[in-house]
């Protein structure tokens, strides 16, 4: 609480000799604190409050001696300098600065902040002491350099992940697989999209790069051995139809002709009078219906990975037939996905459920943006397993 100088120094200040009190450039300290704020449990708004408090100190030098740098501005004055920050918010950030040891309180007997002049300077002052900021300057600098190193490492790993994802896309395109459409790699691509948006996830990025590389190598191996395996797969497929009178539902769904597979779906024909001519159009129609039915696209991608790119659109069309009786189409599709992962999905039974409780066609049934409206008087549809 000794006198403060009113002289303003506009140039950066170097450290004092080792045998004297340390002095630091207050603006350089604030810049380091901005980088180290997450490690100290501070938000950037708290750092902004500290920066505003330092503007009340005329000297650019900030000494570590207690009582030499007291900020005694009132909350009203601080709020005005912060562009009208509410006082309740200001008090919360001041408390955070005190709690982490960046500033300390120097209270008067009545806890008011004020100063008494003595000649041309200040005789005493009560408020917030900025000296602790200079005392921990070295620690703040160490944390700031570590934060910069993490940010650089994150940028490098993020670039590597982008390259690995692009290599995977090229390998998929070489095999005629649409990276943006439903495919076995859709969960990995979705995770990559999420991880690339996050910050400070160095370990997750390392794992993501490894998974992307493994997926690309798997596709490359499949391309090299695909010529000999294709003939074997066709031979086994024919054997199934020859030896069994009732082929498995999944194989039936993937081998029937296109018109026969889409014939049972009346609601689909109402929404798409021009029937799909190939599986690409079938998938496009299904992906167009998914948001209209209130189903998240991620749920549909998971269903495509579990059921296959051909059976998943047909499952959507089955749900469309029973849309009026489904209270939660997304939950129904999740349950079908779980059943498919266990290898217990019976497509034939799922198709038979479309014949149950088929709604009468009327204008009222399609007043909800072209989609049938759910009925509250009908029970929820049974989960097919």
């Amino acid at each position: 609480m000794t006198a403060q100088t009113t002289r303003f120094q506009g140039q950066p200040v170097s450290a004092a000799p080792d045998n004297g009190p340390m002095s630091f450039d207050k603006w350089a300290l604030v810049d380091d604190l901005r980088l180290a704020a997450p490690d100290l449990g501070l938000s950037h708004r708290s750092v902004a409050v500290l920066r505003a408090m330092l503007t009340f100190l005329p000297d650019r030098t900030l000494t570590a001696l207690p009582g030499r740098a007291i900020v005694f501005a009132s909350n009203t004055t601080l709020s005005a300098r912060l562009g009208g920050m509410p006082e309740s918010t200001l008090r919360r950030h001041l408390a955070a600065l005190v709690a982490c040891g960046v500033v300390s309180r120097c209270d008067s007997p009545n806890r008011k902040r004020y100063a008494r002049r003595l000649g041309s300077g200040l005789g005493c002052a009560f408020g917030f002491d900025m000296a602790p900021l200079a005392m921990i300057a070295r620690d703040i600098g160490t944390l700031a350099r570590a934060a910069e190193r993490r940010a650089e490492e994150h940028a490098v790993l993020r670039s590597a992940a982008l390259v690995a994802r692009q290599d995977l896309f090229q390998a998929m395109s070489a095999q005629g697989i649409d990276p943006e459409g439903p495919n076995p790699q859709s969960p990995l691509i979705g995770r990559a999209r999420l991880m690339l948006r996050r910050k400070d996830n160095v370990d997750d990025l390392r794992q993501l790069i490894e998974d992307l590389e493994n997926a690309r190598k798997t596709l490359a191996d499949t391309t090299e051995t695909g010529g000999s395996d294709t003939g074997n797969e066709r031979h086994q497929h024919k054997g199934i139809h020859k030896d069994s009178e009732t082929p498995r539902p999944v194989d039936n769904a993937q081998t029937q002709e296109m018109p026969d597979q889409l014939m049972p779906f009346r609601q689909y024909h109402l929404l798409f009078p021009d029937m799909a001519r190939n599986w690409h159009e079938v998938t496009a129609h299904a992906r167009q219906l998914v948001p209209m039915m209130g189903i998240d696209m991620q749920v549909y991608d998971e269903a495509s990975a579990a059921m296959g790119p051909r059976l998943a659109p047909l499952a959507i069309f089955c749900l469309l037939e029973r849309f009026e009786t489904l209270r939660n189409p997304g939950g129904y599709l999740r349950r079908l996905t779980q059943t498919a992962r266990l290898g217990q999905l019976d497509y034939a039974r799922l198709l038979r459920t479309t014949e149950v409780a088929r709604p009468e066609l009327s204008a009222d049934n399609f007043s909800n943006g072209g989609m049938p409206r759910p009925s509250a008087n009908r029970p929820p549809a049974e989960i097919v397993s």
Side-chain angles (χ1 to χ4, degrees), residues 2-17:
T2 56
Q4 286 184 321
T5 178
T6 59
R7 182 170 56 89
F8 176 77
Q9 292 179 327
Q11 298 298 325
V13 180
S14 59

PDB file of all heavy atoms in Angstrom, residues 2-17:
ATOM      1  N   THR A   2       2.015   1.196  -0.644  1.00  0.00           N
ATOM      2  CA  THR A   2       2.884   2.358  -0.782  1.00  0.00           C
ATOM      3  C   THR A   2       2.488   3.146  -2.014  1.00  0.00           C
ATOM      4  O   THR A   2       1.623   2.735  -2.791  1.00  0.00           O
ATOM      5  CB  THR A   2       4.339   1.903  -0.874  1.00  0.00           C
ATOM      6  OG1 THR A   2       4.466   0.991  -1.960  1.00  0.00           O
ATOM      7  CG2 THR A   2       4.766   1.205   0.400  1.00  0.00           C
ATOM      8  N   ALA A   3       3.164   4.252  -2.210  1.00  0.00           N
ATOM      9  CA  ALA A   3       2.787   5.151  -3.287  1.00  0.00           C
ATOM     10  C   ALA A   3       3.050   4.515  -4.634  1.00  0.00           C
ATOM     11  O   ALA A   3       4.008   3.759  -4.820  1.00  0.00           O
ATOM     12  CB  ALA A   3       3.554   6.464  -3.167  1.00  0.00           C
ATOM     13  N   GLN A   4       2.165   4.819  -5.606  1.00  0.00           N
ATOM     14  CA  GLN A   4       2.317   4.354  -6.970  1.00  0.00           C
ATOM     15  C   GLN A   4       2.765   5.522  -7.839  1.00  0.00           C
ATOM     16  O   GLN A   4       2.357   6.667  -7.629  1.00  0.00           O
ATOM     17  CB  GLN A   4       0.993   3.808  -7.523  1.00  0.00           C
ATOM     18  CG  GLN A   4       0.610   2.458  -6.952  1.00  0.00           C
ATOM     19  CD  GLN A   4      -0.656   1.956  -7.614  1.00  0.00           C
ATOM     20  OE1 GLN A   4      -1.555   2.741  -7.867  1.00  0.00           O
ATOM     21  NE2 GLN A   4      -0.718   0.676  -7.868  1.00  0.00           N
ATOM     22  N   THR A   5       3.560   5.225  -8.838  1.00  0.00           N
ATOM     23  CA  THR A   5       3.975   6.262  -9.764  1.00  0.00           C
ATOM     24  C   THR A   5       2.900   6.497 -10.802  1.00  0.00           C
ATOM     25  O   THR A   5       2.118   5.603 -11.116  1.00  0.00           O
ATOM     26  CB  THR A   5       5.279   5.863 -10.459  1.00  0.00           C
ATOM     27  OG1 THR A   5       5.626   6.896 -11.388  1.00  0.00           O
ATOM     28  CG2 THR A   5       5.123   4.554 -11.219  1.00  0.00           C
ATOM     29  N   THR A   6       2.817   7.703 -11.318  1.00  0.00           N
ATOM     30  CA  THR A   6       1.861   8.030 -12.370  1.00  0.00           C
ATOM     31  C   THR A   6       2.520   8.062 -13.730  1.00  0.00           C
ATOM     32  O   THR A   6       1.896   8.430 -14.720  1.00  0.00           O
ATOM     33  CB  THR A   6       1.223   9.400 -12.080  1.00  0.00           C
ATOM     34  OG1 THR A   6       2.259  10.385 -12.012  1.00  0.00           O
ATOM     35  CG2 THR A   6       0.453   9.381 -10.780  1.00  0.00           C
ATOM     36  N   ARG A   7       3.808   7.687 -13.808  1.00  0.00           N
ATOM     37  CA  ARG A   7       4.530   7.716 -15.078  1.00  0.00           C
ATOM     38  C   ARG A   7       4.149   6.482 -15.903  1.00  0.00           C
ATOM     39  O   ARG A   7       4.070   5.375 -15.404  1.00  0.00           O
ATOM     40  CB  ARG A   7       6.040   7.705 -14.803  1.00  0.00           C
ATOM     41  CG  ARG A   7       6.893   7.771 -16.067  1.00  0.00           C
ATOM     42  CD  ARG A   7       8.352   8.002 -15.677  1.00  0.00           C
ATOM     43  NE  ARG A   7       8.794   6.956 -14.760  1.00  0.00           N
ATOM     44  CZ  ARG A   7       9.325   5.802 -15.166  1.00  0.00           C
ATOM     45  NH1 ARG A   7       9.438   5.552 -16.463  1.00  0.00           N
ATOM     46  NH2 ARG A   7       9.734   4.906 -14.290  1.00  0.00           N
ATOM     47  N   PHE A   8       3.894   6.686 -17.215  1.00  0.00           N
ATOM     48  CA  PHE A   8       3.507   5.579 -18.107  1.00  0.00           C
ATOM     49  C   PHE A   8       4.684   5.198 -18.982  1.00  0.00           C
ATOM     50  O   PHE A   8       5.308   6.074 -19.601  1.00  0.00           O
ATOM     51  CB  PHE A   8       2.320   5.997 -18.995  1.00  0.00           C
ATOM     52  CG  PHE A   8       1.932   4.949 -19.987  1.00  0.00           C
ATOM     53  CD1 PHE A   8       1.203   3.850 -19.589  1.00  0.00           C
ATOM     54  CD2 PHE A   8       2.304   5.057 -21.311  1.00  0.00           C
ATOM     55  CE1 PHE A   8       0.833   2.872 -20.493  1.00  0.00           C
ATOM     56  CE2 PHE A   8       1.952   4.086 -22.219  1.00  0.00           C
ATOM     57  CZ  PHE A   8       1.214   3.002 -21.809  1.00  0.00           C
ATOM     58  N   GLN A   9       5.007   3.935 -18.998  1.00  0.00           N
ATOM     59  CA  GLN A   9       6.075   3.414 -19.848  1.00  0.00           C
ATOM     60  C   GLN A   9       5.450   2.635 -20.989  1.00  0.00           C
ATOM     61  O   GLN A   9       4.702   1.691 -20.765  1.00  0.00           O
ATOM     62  CB  GLN A   9       7.026   2.503 -19.055  1.00  0.00           C
ATOM     63  CG  GLN A   9       7.851   3.258 -18.006  1.00  0.00           C
ATOM     64  CD  GLN A   9       8.745   2.314 -17.238  1.00  0.00           C
ATOM     65  OE1 GLN A   9       8.391   1.182 -17.010  1.00  0.00           O
ATOM     66  NE2 GLN A   9       9.913   2.807 -16.852  1.00  0.00           N
ATOM     67  N   GLY A  10       5.755   3.020 -22.208  1.00  0.00           N
ATOM     68  CA  GLY A  10       5.126   2.395 -23.360  1.00  0.00           C
ATOM     69  C   GLY A  10       5.930   1.292 -23.981  1.00  0.00           C
ATOM     70  O   GLY A  10       5.484   0.695 -24.948  1.00  0.00           O
ATOM     71  N   GLN A  11       7.129   1.000 -23.476  1.00  0.00           N
ATOM     72  CA  GLN A  11       7.972  -0.029 -24.062  1.00  0.00           C
ATOM     73  C   GLN A  11       7.955  -1.280 -23.181  1.00  0.00           C
ATOM     74  O   GLN A  11       7.750  -1.198 -21.976  1.00  0.00           O
ATOM     75  CB  GLN A  11       9.416   0.492 -24.189  1.00  0.00           C
ATOM     76  CG  GLN A  11       9.535   1.703 -25.103  1.00  0.00           C
ATOM     77  CD  GLN A  11       9.118   1.376 -26.529  1.00  0.00           C
ATOM     78  OE1 GLN A  11       9.360   0.260 -27.001  1.00  0.00           O
ATOM     79  NE2 GLN A  11       8.493   2.335 -27.196  1.00  0.00           N
ATOM     80  N   PRO A  12       8.173  -2.474 -23.797  1.00  0.00           N
ATOM     81  CA  PRO A  12       8.235  -3.701 -22.980  1.00  0.00           C
ATOM     82  C   PRO A  12       9.347  -3.614 -21.947  1.00  0.00           C
ATOM     83  O   PRO A  12      10.381  -2.986 -22.162  1.00  0.00           O
ATOM     84  CB  PRO A  12       8.511  -4.796 -24.018  1.00  0.00           C
ATOM     85  CG  PRO A  12       8.044  -4.217 -25.301  1.00  0.00           C
ATOM     86  CD  PRO A  12       8.276  -2.747 -25.224  1.00  0.00           C
ATOM     87  N   VAL A  13       9.113  -4.256 -20.792  1.00  0.00           N
ATOM     88  CA  VAL A  13      10.039  -4.186 -19.660  1.00  0.00           C
ATOM     89  C   VAL A  13      10.720  -5.534 -19.510  1.00  0.00           C
ATOM     90  O   VAL A  13      10.060  -6.578 -19.507  1.00  0.00           O
ATOM     91  CB  VAL A  13       9.286  -3.806 -18.369  1.00  0.00           C
ATOM     92  CG1 VAL A  13      10.258  -3.735 -17.204  1.00  0.00           C
ATOM     93  CG2 VAL A  13       8.600  -2.462 -18.554  1.00  0.00           C
ATOM     94  N   SER A  14      12.020  -5.560 -19.364  1.00  0.00           N
ATOM     95  CA  SER A  14      12.769  -6.796 -19.141  1.00  0.00           C
ATOM     96  C   SER A  14      12.812  -7.112 -17.654  1.00  0.00           C
ATOM     97  O   SER A  14      12.487  -6.281 -16.809  1.00  0.00           O
ATOM     98  CB  SER A  14      14.191  -6.648 -19.688  1.00  0.00           C
ATOM     99  OG  SER A  14      14.847  -5.571 -19.052  1.00  0.00           O
ATOM    100  N   ALA A  15      13.240  -8.325 -17.310  1.00  0.00           N
ATOM    101  CA  ALA A  15      13.275  -8.744 -15.918  1.00  0.00           C
ATOM    102  C   ALA A  15      14.341  -7.960 -15.159  1.00  0.00           C
ATOM    103  O   ALA A  15      15.362  -7.536 -15.711  1.00  0.00           O
ATOM    104  CB  ALA A  15      13.562 -10.243 -15.820  1.00  0.00           C
ATOM    105  N   ALA A  16      14.093  -7.762 -13.864  1.00  0.00           N
ATOM    106  CA  ALA A  16      15.045  -7.064 -13.003  1.00  0.00           C
ATOM    107  C   ALA A  16      16.205  -7.991 -12.661  1.00  0.00           C
ATOM    108  O   ALA A  16      16.146  -9.200 -12.906  1.00  0.00           O
ATOM    109  CB  ALA A  16      14.333  -6.589 -11.737  1.00  0.00           C
ATOM    110  N   PRO A  17      17.298  -7.478 -12.096  1.00  0.00           N
ATOM    111  CA  PRO A  17      18.418  -8.351 -11.698  1.00  0.00           C
ATOM    112  C   PRO A  17      17.979  -9.406 -10.696  1.00  0.00           C
ATOM    113  O   PRO A  17      16.963  -9.265 -10.008  1.00  0.00           O
ATOM    114  CB  PRO A  17      19.412  -7.365 -11.081  1.00  0.00           C
ATOM    115  CG  PRO A  17      19.072  -6.040 -11.679  1.00  0.00           C
ATOM    116  CD  PRO A  17      17.594  -6.059 -11.901  1.00  0.00           C
TER     117      PRO A  17
END
